[in-house]
Amino acid sequence: DMPGTHLCGGACVSDRDPATCGSACAPCAAPANAAATCDGTRCGFACNPGFHRCGDACAPDTSATQCGTACTQCPTPANAAPVCELGACGFRCNPGFADCDRDARNGCEADLSAALSCGACGTVCAGSTPVCRGGRCESGCATGEARCGTACVLTASDANHCGRCGEACAVPANGRATCRAGVCGA
């Protein structure tokens, strides 16, 4: 016998050969995504690159159901998908949502189609553009109208909002105030 070898069926084989492991010269088996190993007396396995050991199996390094060496089930936060990166649990926001407060406990709390975070964290729709549409703040009024308070008005013809919100036309004595093309008249 040479050091690091043993006799199998009349031949001298390596103690580390997984095809002829130990004194029984038995072949070693390996789970999916792994290579069989032999330490001289016992069979084992080594996970392929991109995989890590989880019990008697090899899980993908990106598995959110078997993350890291502890094989952790990553939590699924609100409006997000769990991910495993570099052996640690995390999450990615679903389209249309963001983690504006950077608090993993409440996930992706910001709805980017809402007026409080329109299109991005910190973009608040208010005043004359209180509606969020397609990630942009808009008035929410029809073409030619402006939002004045909670109402949509035609500033081109509304005597109470002539030309712009809050610009009321003066009422003349024995007459009626008018607004045409955004200009007050009587």
Side-chain angles (χ1 to χ4, degrees):
D1 263 344
M2 293 178 60
T5 64
H6 62 278
L7 196 57
C8 278
C12 200
V13 296
S14 169
D15 286 343
R16 303 260 181 235
D17 185 354
T20 56
C21 191
S23 60
C25 298
C28 297
N33 305 308
T37 62
C38 178
D39 69 3
T41 59
R42 277 184 312 189
C43 287
F45 66 92
C47 294
N48 294 340
F51 294 85
H52 63 277
R53 189 175 189 134
C54 280
D56 291 331
C58 292
D61 287 343
T62 57
S63 173
T65 59
Q66 298 173 313
C67 187
T69 57
C71 301
T72 303
Q73 168 86 35
C74 296
T76 303
N79 306 309
V83 297
C84 179
E85 294 176 332
L86 302 173
C89 287
F91 61 91
R92 281 201 179 82
C93 293
N94 294 340
F97 291 89
D99 179 19
C100 292
D101 65 4
R102 300 286 182 224
D103 184 349
R105 293 174 297 178
N106 64 1
C108 301
E109 80 292 342
D111 180 351
L112 299 180
S113 66
L116 294 177
S117 52
C118 187
C121 297
T123 303
V124 178
C125 299
S128 64
T129 57
V131 177
C132 181
R133 236 186 233 136
R136 291 183 28 219
C137 293
E138 296 180 356
S139 70
C141 298
T143 302
E145 293 181 328
R147 181 167 294 277
C148 296
T150 59
C152 291
V153 298
L154 289 168
T155 57
S157 60
D158 188 317
N160 292 315
H161 304 280
C162 191
R164 63 182 185 175
C165 294
E167 194 67 40
C169 296
V171 178
N174 301 320
R176 174 173 74 83
T178 63
C179 178
R180 287 194 180 98
V183 178
C184 288

